């Protein structure tokens, strides 16, 4: 099994930046898919960004493309989500996730490991 520990959430003014971190431990996951998802109050969880640990291939939701960047650091067993030009509609709980089933996916149902979530609040 894999454990995911997130950090970096907080309160930021619109237009500002935050970097979320997700430290993975417990099992090897060099062939896993890694992703970030978010859930706003009263809404369902949605895809934000994904990366293949092995190839580095990335994909982003249209709502964040050009503003967010997902990356990996193998030496630190960590994935990051750099969030720039933040908007109030980015306010949500952000979850790190990993999939042992495939090497790359944006489909929530294929992710079988999840972090606890970290709150990101963007003020106007």
């Amino acid at each position: 099994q894999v454990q995911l520990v997130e950090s970096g959430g907080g309160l930021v003014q619109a237009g500002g930046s935050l970097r979320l971190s997700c430290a993975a431990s417990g099992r090897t996951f060099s062939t896993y898919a890694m992703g970030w998802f978010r859930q706003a109050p009263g809404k369902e969880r949605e895809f934000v960004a994904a990366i293949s640990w092995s190839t580095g291939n990335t994909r982003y939701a249209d709502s964040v493309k050009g503003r967010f960047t997902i990356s990996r650091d193998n030496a630190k067993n960590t994935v990051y989500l750099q969030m720039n030009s933040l908007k109030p509609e980015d306010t949500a709980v952000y979850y790190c996730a990993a999939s042992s089933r495939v090497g790359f996916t944006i489909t929530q149902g294929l992710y079988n490991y999840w972090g606890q979530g970290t709150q990101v609040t963007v003020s106007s």
Side-chain angles (χ1 to χ4, degrees):
Q1 62 182 10
V2 172
Q3 293 81 46
L4 305 174
V5 179
E6 298 157 309
S7 61
L11 175 65
V12 65
Q13 187 177 7
S17 299
L18 285 173
R19 189 178 77 161
L20 306 183
S21 299
C22 175
S25 62
R27 298 281 288 262
T28 59
F29 50 90
S30 60
T31 62
Y32 286 17
M34 304 293 294
W36 288 95
F37 298 80
R38 67 186 183 186
Q39 186 169 25
K43 297 192 174 183
E44 64 183 19
R45 190 168 56 198
E46 65 178 357
F47 166 75
V48 176
I51 188 169
S52 168
W53 193 269
S54 60
T55 69
N57 189 30
T58 61
R59 187 171 177 179
Y60 300 90
D62 289 342
S63 59
V64 307
K65 194 169 187 177
R67 300 187 297 120
F68 291 10
T69 303
I70 187 170
S71 61
R72 57 180 173 157
D73 188 331
N74 184 64
K76 298 171 67 174
N77 291 331
T78 301
V79 296
Y80 303 95
L81 185 68
Q82 178 67 47
M83 305 185 294
N84 299 325
S85 301
L86 283 162
K87 306 174 181 179
E89 51 262 45
D90 294 319
T91 295
V93 177
Y94 284 70
Y95 297 91
C96 177
S99 176
S100 62
R101 300 162 180 166
V102 295
F104 183 76
T105 184
I106 66 170
T107 303
Q108 291 189 49
L110 293 178
Y111 285 86
N112 51 324
Y113 299 103
W114 293 83
Q116 79 287 347
T118 185
Q119 177 70 46
V120 172
T121 302
V122 184
S123 64
S124 301

